[in-house]
Structure formats: structure tokens, C-alpha cells
Amino acid sequence: MAPTPELVTAALATVNDPEIRRPITELDMVKSVDISPEGVVRVGIYLTVSGCPMRDTITRDVTTAVSKVEGVTGVQVEMDVMSTEQRKSLQTKLRGNRGPEKEIPFAQAGSLTRVFAVASGKGGVGKSSVTVNLAAAMAAGGLKVGVVDADIYGHSVPRMLGVSDRPTKVEDMIMPPVAHDIKVISVGMFKPEGNTPVVWRGPMLDRALHQFLADVFWGDLDVLLMDLPPGTGDIAISVAQRMPSAEILVVTTPQQAAAEVAERAGSIAVQTHQQIAGVIENMAWLPCPHCDERIAVFGEGGGQTVADALTRTLGARVPLLGQVPIDMRLREGGDEGKPLVLTDPDAPAAAELIKIASGLSRRSNSLKGMQLGISPTRGR
């Protein structure tokens, strides 16, 4: 049976753009399909930009899909680049035909994306490790997940997720790299090579956050996790202003000194009128390598102390979501870009993080907390 253009096009419809995560046929990326009498198929593909980092991936996926069509004896993939008009058309298509306005989709009425702002009172409590592993666990559970590395000065999420690709720019829209089925954006992806520090002040920090939320094409996410800088500085305030529906996750360690500053970080919700999803106690204990005893390296009770204090301050229950034990593999996974919840989900620390992620993933079907975009009118 000789292959037909219809059969080849149907096969191409199974190929997703690696960054946009939608079929290339739907995105008008298929330029042409030519079939020789001998069954050799030549497919023309439009790339969004000439230096597209996903070029080889698209070539491989197209070749694999078309090769499965009955009667195909060979596949040739030829690349071209979209014109300015085609890129503008793609941008409009991705923004839901609303035009190229720059709005934060997660702050719009009716957004179904649940946003968590992961905060801590001080550095060194493992906030980024917790963020990355929660994201990986949620993605592994079938959710569409994105991560914003909003810790501008101390950005570390790209390394922890093993992201080496840079974002792709389509007109004024940014396509985020994907790792472990998680869309990721970080200021570290835009810096020159090397460990150059970011020296920005308030207005620039706020602008960077807005670009991460509005200019990046996130698609339809179930969950967005934002890794905030420690403390209650400019970024925390900007998140509250731009994303008032974001729920705060407070990460602390058991020691009382860390608990006190974590309580201050969570108490910002009183002034910003945000909801606190709960408290996570990291480095809760060290399992003894020789027995079943738990060694309280950093003391005990800090997580519950923070949860109880925030409950009193807010007048609403703030739960202790979980206690994550110390595990060297958690740190090693961060250094290697391989989250522990994926490499060893049965490890005690991974199991606790997966349990926390599962609890956060469950969402009520009610309209509580959702912006409906309606306003009262006077009767006639």
C-alpha cells in the first residue's frame, strides 16, 4: 500500500513541538509533504527561529512518526524558518486569539491554575530542593507543571532540574525549556556564561517577575510553583501585588531560630491578604545508619511551631504538611539535576515529598478563591 499525504499528515499530528507541547500540524509548522513513487517521504518543517535548540528533537520525532506509516521506505526532513508574519500568527494562536497583549494569565478571572509561592524566612533551609521535588512529583503524577525561579539573586532551579537549554524567543513571547515534563524559567538562563551575579534593585526585580509570568508561554498549567527569595523583600511584595491568588508555602527547619524567621515570612499574608497553604519542615531528622533511631540534628518541633503561630496570627488553620528527613541523595540529586522523587521514590525523603505533593494536588471543585470576573449591577 502506497503512503498518502493524508496518512502522513495524520502521523505528523502525533508529533508535538517540544517547547509548546502541542501538535506541529495545529501550530502550522508543517510546510510541505512530498511522496516519491518509491515511498520516500520528504517533510518540510517550519522552525520558529533559525537557531531553534529543539531542531534535532523535532527531526527525530518527525522521522519516527512518519516511518511508521505503511508503505514508507524512507523519511527526509527539511527545515525552514517562519517569517515574521507566521510568527505573529503563531503568537496570536497561542494567546487564544486575544492578540499580543501582555497579561498574566494566572491572575485572570477564571484561571484554573493553582499557584504556590514557596517562601522561607532565611536561606539554607532547602526551599529550592523542596520546590523542585514537589514540581517533579506533581508532573510525574500527570499534572501540567511550571516552575518560576523567582529567587533572582540565588537562582539554582535550572541546575537542580538539569536544564541546560536556553529559552526560545518567538516575537515578544518566550518559550520556556522543559525538563522532567516541567516548564522552567529562571534569570540564570538569560545571563552570559559564568557565575555572574545579578545586581538589580526593586523596579528591575518587579519587571523581571512580570516578564516571567506574562511574556513566557506557559500553556494550560495545572500548577505553577514559584521559588521565592528568602525573607519578605521586593519579590514577595511583587508576587502579592501581581498574583494575589497565589498560596504561600512556608519552608523551615526544626530549629527555633529558623522557625522564628519563617513565621515572619508567613505573616506577610496578613498584610497581603493571601492564603497560606501550609508549612513544610525540611531536614526534620537524620535516620541513624545503624538503627531505627531518629537523630534530631537541628532540634525538634520548628515546623509545628510555625504552623501553630501562623494559625493564631491569621485566625485560620495553617497545617504542617509534612516533615522531610535529611537524605544525602536529595542533595546529590539537586547537584546532578535529577530530583530524588524520580530517581528513588521509595526513599524516606522522597516518599514524604510525594505525599506532600499529592495533598497539594488535590483541588476542591468549589468556586472558593476563584475570580469570577463579575460585578453587581443596579436593578431597573
Side-chain angles (χ1 to χ4, degrees):
M1 177 180 175
T4 65
E6 291 76 17
L7 290 174
V8 173
T9 301
L12 291 172
T14 66
V15 178
N16 286 343
D17 179 272
E19 294 174 313
I20 304 175
R21 315 304 285 275
R22 284 165 63 175
I24 59 175
T25 50
E26 180 183 321
L27 300 173
D28 298 325
M29 292 176 64
V30 179
K31 176 183 179 181
S32 60
V33 174
D34 298 309
I35 305 172
S36 73
E38 294 77 23
V40 176
V41 179
R42 186 167 65 253
V43 181
I45 296 293
Y46 282 121
L47 298 176
T48 52
V49 292
S50 58
C52 178
M54 297 291 105
R55 181 189 192 103
D56 293 341
T57 302
I58 294 173
T59 300
R60 182 196 65 211
D61 293 348
V62 167
T63 301
T64 300
V66 176
S67 296
K68 295 178 181 179
V69 176
E70 186 177 355
V72 172
T73 59
V75 180
Q76 299 173 359
V77 181
E78 298 176 353
M79 297 296 186
D80 199 351
V81 180
M82 287 184 175
S83 65
T84 300
E85 291 72 21
Q86 287 173 311
R87 282 194 294 270
K88 287 181 178 179
S89 176
L90 175 62
Q91 181 182 16
T92 301
K93 183 188 292 287
L94 294 177
R95 290 187 183 277
N97 294 320
R98 296 192 303 271
E101 76 277 11
K102 295 183 179 180
E103 60 183 22
I104 298 175
F106 315 112
Q108 301 307 305
S111 172
L112 297 179
T113 301
R114 194 169 184 184
V115 181
F116 294 106
V118 188
S120 66
K122 61 191 293 291
V125 300
K127 168 181 55 63
S128 297
S129 294
V130 168
T131 302
V132 163
N133 278 273
L134 289 179
M138 290 176 179
L143 297 182
K144 297 176 182 177
V145 182
V147 173
V148 172
D149 188 356
D151 193 348
I152 305 295
Y153 300 133
H155 49 84
S156 57
V157 169
R159 168 181 284 278
M160 290 184 167
L161 282 174
V163 178
S164 57
D165 295 325
R166 290 181 178 270
T168 301
K169 197 167 185 293
V170 178
E171 295 303 300
D172 60 349
M173 190 166 55
I174 301 170
M175 302 297 172
V178 178
H180 309 294
D181 287 328
I182 304 165
K183 292 184 176 181
V184 190
I185 201 70
S186 169
V187 71
M189 299 172 180
F190 300 91
K191 295 192 332 179
E193 295 297 332
N195 202 21
T196 309
V198 177
V199 187
W200 291 350
R201 300 185 70 178
M204 294 182 69
L205 295 173
D206 179 71
R207 177 58 187 158
L209 179 66
H210 182 265
Q211 284 190 291
F212 286 170
L213 294 171
D215 291 358
V216 173
F217 175 70
W218 293 103
D220 296 323
L221 295 183
D222 295 307
V223 178
L224 179 71
L225 290 160
M226 304 179 67
D227 185 29
L228 304 188
T232 56
D234 293 314
I235 288 291
I237 296 171
S238 292
V239 168
Q241 292 174 337
R242 295 190 178 277
M243 300 281 293
S245 61
E247 302 173 58
I248 299 174
L249 279 175
V250 180
V251 179
T252 186
T253 56
Q255 65 193 94
Q256 294 305 309
E260 290 173 1
V261 290
E263 180 186 340
R264 289 199 291 271
S267 295
I268 191 175
V270 176
Q271 302 176 48
T272 60
H273 308 291
Q274 290 173 282
Q275 181 179 349
I276 298 182
V279 177
I280 299 174
E281 184 181 87
N282 195 29
M283 309 181 204
W285 64 80
L286 174 66
C288 177
H290 307 294
C291 62
D292 295 330
E293 294 294 323
R294 296 179 175 182
I295 304 173
V297 178
F298 297 108
E300 295 178 300
Q304 190 63 59
T305 297
V306 174
D308 292 342
L310 291 175
T311 295
R312 291 192 297 271
T313 300
L314 298 175
R317 179 176 176 270
V318 176
L320 175 63
L321 300 174
Q323 297 172 290
V324 183
I326 298 172
D327 192 326
M328 288 182 59
R329 292 168 294 180
L330 191 63
R331 187 269 304 166
E332 293 168 350
D335 290 342
E336 297 170 1
K338 300 175 182 178
L340 182 63
V341 295
L342 301 180
T343 58
D344 191 355
D346 294 326
E352 185 70 1
L353 286 162
I354 291 172
K355 183 199 80 173
I356 296 170
S358 177
L360 292 173
S361 300
R362 289 194 292 271
R363 183 181 185 125
S364 170
N365 291 323
S366 75
L367 299 178
K368 180 181 179 181
M370 183 185 296
Q371 301 179 50
L372 298 179
I374 58 176
S375 58
T377 58
R378 293 182 179 179
R380 295 182 180 179

